[in-house]
Amino acid sequence: MKGLLLKELIASKAILRWYAFLFTAFFIVGIVLQNEGFFFGVGVFMAVSYPSISIAADEKEKWLKFALASGCPPLKIAASKYVIPLTLALLIALASALALCLIPDPSLPWMGLPVLFT
C-alpha cells in the first residue's frame, strides 16, 4: 500500500501543486472579501475531482493492467485512489474552519461546514 500511495503522490505532484496554489489564492480572496464561498466551492471541487484525474492518468499509462498482472489486489489499488483525496478533503475542512475563525461574521454557520464535505 505504501508503494501505491507513493506512486500516487509522484504521479500527481504537479496537480497537487496546482491545487495548493489555487486553493491558497481562493482562500486569500475569500478572507479579504469575507466570503467563505470562494474557498468552500473550490475546496469541494478539488476533493471530488482528484480521484477522476488520478484514474484518468493511470488509464493513459495503462497502470491498472500492469498492477493487476504484478499481483496487486484490486482492493488496494482502489483504496490508494481515495486515500489522498480523503486527506485533501480533511485539510480543506481544517483550512475552512480556520477561515471561519478569521472571518468576523461568516454567513455560513459552523454547523454547515460538515455538510459541505459529505
Side-chain angles (χ1 to χ4, degrees):
M1 187 68 168
K2 290 179 188 176
L4 289 172
L5 291 176
L6 185 60
K7 180 244 170 236
E8 283 293 317
L9 287 174
I10 291 171
S12 60
K13 186 171 39 173
I15 294 168
L16 290 174
R17 279 189 204 149
W18 178 247
Y19 276 4
F21 170 75
L22 193 62
F23 184 77
T24 303
F26 276 87
F27 185 83
I28 292 170
V29 169
I31 296 296
V32 169
L33 296 178
Q34 296 184 356
N35 184 354
E36 62 274 0
F38 276 89
F39 49 87
F40 284 149
V42 77
V44 170
F45 170 75
M46 288 175 188
V48 171
S49 68
Y50 179 82
S52 61
I53 291 170
S54 176
I55 291 170
D58 283 352
E59 285 181 13
K60 181 181 174 186
E61 297 173 0
K62 307 219 185 307
W63 166 253
L64 184 60
K65 290 180 184 178
F66 174 75
L68 290 174
S70 299
C72 190
L75 184 62
K76 281 189 177 181
I77 295 171
S80 72
K81 296 292 176 201
Y82 292 98
V83 170
I84 294 174
L86 289 174
T87 305
L88 185 64
L90 178 66
L91 291 173
I92 291 169
L94 291 174
S96 300
L98 172 69
L100 285 176
C101 290
L102 295 174
I103 295 175
D105 188 25
S107 60
L108 184 70
W110 282 96
M111 296 300 288
L113 184 61
V115 174
L116 293 170
F117 295 98
T118 57

